[in-house]
Amino acid sequence: MAALGPDDTVLCTATMGFGALREFAEAAGSAGFSAISLSGGDYKSARAAGLSDADIRSLLADNNLRVAELDGVVDWLFPLPDRQGAGYDLDIPFFGHSQDAFFAIAEVLDARSISAVDPFLRTAPLEQMAEAFARLCNRAAEHGLLVHLEFLSWGPVPDLAAAWDIVRLAGRDNGGIMLDVLHLMRSGGRDMLSRIPGERILATQFCDGRLTRQGDCFADAANREWPGEGEFALPALLRELRAAGCMAPLGVEVMGEATAGLSPQAIARRAREALEQTREASRSSQPPAAA
C-alpha cells in the first residue's frame, strides 16, 4: 500500500468523539479524507459491536481509507497506573491499552504508525525517556511501524525541545515527533521548529484556538477551534513545516464546542473544509476565510 504523504489528510479520532467506527469511516471517506487515526478503544468497540477484523478492513477499503496512526501508547515510559489523577479516567477509549495491544491492532489494520504519549502528571530523567522511546521504536520496527512522540505541556515531555531531545538521543530511524498545534502553542515552542529536521516530524494534528490558555490545561486542550477560526496563524506554520522538509500528512484534531451537536458527516465535512482552507492559504499570503 502506498505511503501517506503531504497531500494526504487525516481525520483524528478525537475529532469524532471516539464514536462508532462504521459512522466514523463512512463520514471520513465521504468527506474525502485519505486516512483516519484510531484509538485502542475504537478497535475494541468495533469488535464488541460485532465487526470482525475482516469487516473492519473491508470498511476501511470501501471508504478508501488507511489507518494513519494508532493513538496512543501510554505505557512506553512507565507501566499503566492504577488511576490517572490528571483530569481523565483510564476507562475512556484513549487509555488502558498496552503496547502489545497496539502492535496487534496495527498488524490487523496495516497501520502506518503509532503515537507515544504520556499524559500523566509525573516526571522522568531525559536519559530514561530516551531509552524507553528507543525500546518502543525497536519493537515497532519489527512490525514495520513508525513511532511519533507527542509532547503535552503538562506531562513529562512538556514541549517540542524535550521531544526532540528524546528522539535525537534515542537515535532510531523510525522515530520522530507528532506535532499537535495546540500543545506547540501552549508550550511556547514554535521558535524551536527551525532547529528540528522537518523530516523527523512524522505526524500532525492541526487545530486553532486563542493565543492565551482558556481555563486549566486539560479544559483548554479539550476545547479547540476549527483551523482558520482562531489566532494560531496556521497557514504560516504549515508553510514553515513544508519548507523545512516535513512530508507528514495533514491531520485535524478539533473537539469541544466546535463539534458539539454535529453529526459525524457534518464533523468530517467541516474538518476537511478547514484543512483545505488552511492548505490553500499556506500557498499564498492570505489567511483562510472563516466558515
Side-chain angles (χ1 to χ4, degrees):
M1 188 178 293
L4 295 172
D7 293 331
D8 292 302
T9 52
V10 181
L11 184 57
C12 298
T13 180
T15 307
M16 297 298 282
F18 305 104
L21 182 55
R22 183 173 296 281
E23 293 180 352
F24 180 5
E26 290 175 350
S30 178
F33 279 91
S34 311
I36 57 176
S37 75
L38 291 177
S39 72
D42 291 322
Y43 172 78
K44 292 183 179 181
S45 294
R47 291 302 310 270
L51 293 178
S52 67
D53 288 341
D55 292 334
I56 297 172
R57 289 193 294 267
S58 294
L59 177 63
L60 294 170
D62 290 346
N63 289 283
N64 297 310
L65 293 171
R66 285 195 61 184
V67 176
E69 60 252 6
L70 296 174
D71 192 11
V73 173
V74 298
D75 68 343
W76 65 278
L77 182 55
F78 297 109
L80 285 171
D82 293 330
R83 58 187 298 275
Q84 202 333 6
Y88 304 100
D89 294 319
L90 283 171
D91 60 350
I92 69 172
F94 189 80
F95 299 112
H97 312 292
S98 68
Q99 291 181 39
D100 289 341
F102 272 98
F103 289 133
I105 297 168
E107 289 279 0
V108 166
L109 301 184
D110 193 22
R112 166 186 180 264
S113 60
I114 57 175
S115 288
V117 62
D118 193 311
F120 307 112
L121 292 172
R122 54 195 180 188
T123 59
L126 173 60
E127 294 77 10
Q128 180 182 345
M129 292 192 286
E131 290 172 2
F133 187 70
R135 287 194 298 270
L136 178 63
C137 289
N138 289 344
R139 292 197 66 192
E142 296 173 0
H143 299 270
L145 292 166
L146 301 173
V147 185
H148 27 74
L149 179 62
E150 182 172 0
F151 57 94
L152 305 176
S153 58
W154 63 82
V157 188
D159 53 32
L160 181 57
W164 174 236
D165 281 344
I166 292 167
V167 170
R168 177 177 54 81
L169 289 174
R172 297 302 188 266
D173 290 341
N174 64 328
I177 292 172
M178 160 68 80
L179 189 72
D180 182 316
V181 171
L182 188 282
H183 295 300
L184 178 70
M185 300 302 292
R186 292 298 179 250
S187 62
R190 185 158 178 168
D191 291 345
M192 182 69 191
L193 278 175
S194 63
R195 288 176 263 168
I196 295 176
E199 63 270 17
R200 301 307 292 273
I201 297 175
L202 302 179
T204 65
Q205 293 174 339
F206 269 64
C207 68
D208 221 325
R210 303 299 104 184
L211 291 178
T212 57
R213 176 170 282 153
Q214 306 297 298
D216 66 32
C217 58
F218 304 112
D220 181 65
N223 194 34
R224 305 171 179 217
E225 298 180 41
W226 294 113
E229 295 188 351
E231 301 172 343
F232 287 173
L234 297 178
L237 174 61
L238 182 55
R239 279 197 301 271
E240 183 178 353
L241 287 172
R242 296 307 188 214
C246 172
M247 294 293 104
L250 190 59
V252 57
E253 185 174 78
V254 173
M255 60 198 89
E257 294 178 7
T259 59
L262 297 181
S263 68
Q265 293 78 13
I267 290 172
R269 287 195 301 270
R270 184 67 190 89
R272 182 65 192 279
E273 290 167 0
L275 286 186
E276 291 305 322
Q277 288 170 352
T278 300
R279 182 154 36 204
E280 287 304 312
S282 75
R283 295 167 177 159
S284 70
S285 59
Q286 300 300 316

